[in-house]
Every structure is written in structure tokens, then in C-alpha cells.
Amino acid sequence: MFTGIVEELGEITAVAPSGDGVRLTVRAPLAVSDAGHGDSISISGVCLTVVDQQGDAFTADVMKQTLDMSTLGEVAAGRSVNVERAMAAHGRLGGHIVQGHIDGTGEVLEVRPGDQWRVLRISLDPAHAPLVVDKGSIAVDGVSLTVSAVSPAGAEPAWFEVSLIPETLTATTLGALTPGHRVNLETDILARHVQRLLAFPPTAPAVPNEGGSR
């Protein structure tokens, strides 16, 4: 479990084929400082498991399904990534509950600069549009953000906007985004649960067995 508060910018140092997936090596000194075999670390919003450590870097396996539905299939050595260690149970929830299980990707449609901030408009799969609400939370490349605007229901393409403060622009990879970039998206887990519950027809409550069991 993560909070979407990026702890450091890591660097992909190696990408090696591994069956139908890949093995990534990521230089991330802070994350590695107290990491152990089997620990979870979020790389640009995708939860990965540490399988090896070397100095200030760690290695993780990425399966084909993850490569297909995330931007990790595009990474190469030298690429910067957002890094966050799993949240400690006694820590502060500075962002929002982020699982590291992304819904898919979106494309940066527009970047509007301001005096001290920047607004990004990002495309959204129509199936996920009902899960994103104005002033709600969303994780973009693992960064916890507040939605500042959403497209009308039924709009094509569906989109949402986020406003980035200077700290976010400098401390994460989001400051380098331009139109056409793909980003990993994770919608709010509570919205996903509600959507799933509503997909089932209501059922009658169970009738207590007044005669007791025999």
C-alpha cells in the first residue's frame, strides 16, 4: 500500500528480457537503504517486488500483463521514474490510498502553464470516467493528485485535469510531461468498490431461521 507521495526520483539502469516479461534494475538510494528481498516499491505508480539488491539499486521482475497495461513497457536505461516505498503502518497518509495496481494509461492532451503552476489535461478510458470526480483523488505515474476538472458525462474523449504545484513539478517526473506522453493511472479504490457493488442486482436479505438449527 502506498500514499502517492513520491520519495525520490529513481533511474532505470538496466532492462533485461526475462521470459515474456523483463527484469528492471532501478537506481534508488533512499528506497534501497532499508529495502529487503520481497519488499514492495512503487515505480511510477506500478507496485514491484524487490528480487535483488546491488549497492544503491534494486531489481524487480515485470510480467507481460504489467508491460502491456502500463508505461513500463516503454522504459529504457537512463529513464527517470517516480519511486515510493510501501507505507509504514505508523506513517502519515499524506496523499491517498494507492495500491500500485493501475487501471491503465492515459495520454497527456494539453499542458497549460501558469505563473507558478501547470495544468495537465489527460485522456481517460470511458470505462474509468465515472470513477474520476472533481476534487477527488487520482494517482498519475504514482503521484497522488487532486482532480481539478473533469469532462462532461459522455464526452469523447473523456479527460480530467490536475494542477501541479512547483514542488510536484520539480520532485517528480510530471514536470517533464508534454502532449503525447503516456502516463500510468490509478483511480480511487473506494470508487472502484462502489462501481463493482452497483454492478450486481440487489438481493433480498436473508431470513433468520427462527426454529434454530437441528
Side-chain angles (χ1 to χ4, degrees):
M1 195 73 69
F2 306 93
T3 70
I5 304 300
V6 172
E7 295 184 289
E8 66 179 323
L9 283 174
E11 180 185 354
I12 303 291
T13 60
V15 181
S18 178
D20 62 356
V22 299
R23 177 162 282 199
L24 292 183
T25 301
V26 184
R27 181 182 177 276
L30 177 61
V32 172
S33 65
D34 63 352
H37 184 87
D39 282 357
S40 296
I41 297 179
S42 171
I43 298 300
S44 290
V46 180
C47 179
L48 299 180
T49 300
V50 176
V51 297
D52 192 18
Q53 295 170 250
Q54 331 67 41
D56 60 0
F58 74 93
T59 298
D61 291 317
V62 187
M63 67 177 70
K64 183 179 185 300
Q65 180 186 18
T66 303
L67 295 174
D68 290 343
M69 70 180 301
S70 76
T71 62
L72 293 189
E74 306 166 359
V75 297
R79 172 106 168 240
S80 293
V81 290
N82 297 319
V83 180
E84 181 190 356
R85 293 169 293 181
M87 179 179 68
H90 64 276
R92 291 185 174 90
L93 186 61
H96 71 283
I97 295 173
V98 177
Q99 294 184 299
H101 304 156
I102 66 168
D103 296 287
T105 63
E107 180 182 331
V108 177
L109 301 175
E110 182 182 349
V111 178
R112 300 198 307 273
D115 291 337
Q116 292 183 317
W117 61 88
R118 194 173 301 166
V119 176
L120 301 184
R121 176 173 292 192
I122 300 172
S123 69
L124 191 61
D125 187 309
H128 301 143
L131 305 176
V132 181
V133 299
D134 188 24
K135 304 303 183 290
S137 296
I138 192 166
V140 177
D141 275 353
V143 183
S144 174
L145 298 171
T146 299
V147 177
S148 55
V150 293
S151 58
E156 294 184 8
W159 52 263
F160 69 95
E161 291 184 351
V162 288
S163 299
L164 309 182
I165 61 173
E167 174 66 15
T168 304
L169 294 172
T170 58
T172 74
T173 60
L174 302 189
L177 294 178
T178 58
H181 270 111
R182 283 205 311 144
V183 291
N184 297 319
L185 301 178
E186 181 182 334
T187 57
D188 184 68
I189 181 60
L190 296 179
R192 282 185 279 171
H193 275 297
V194 171
Q195 184 186 58
R196 178 63 174 168
L197 288 170
L198 292 176
F200 289 89
T203 58
V207 178
N209 183 0
E210 296 181 357
S213 60
R214 291 186 289 177

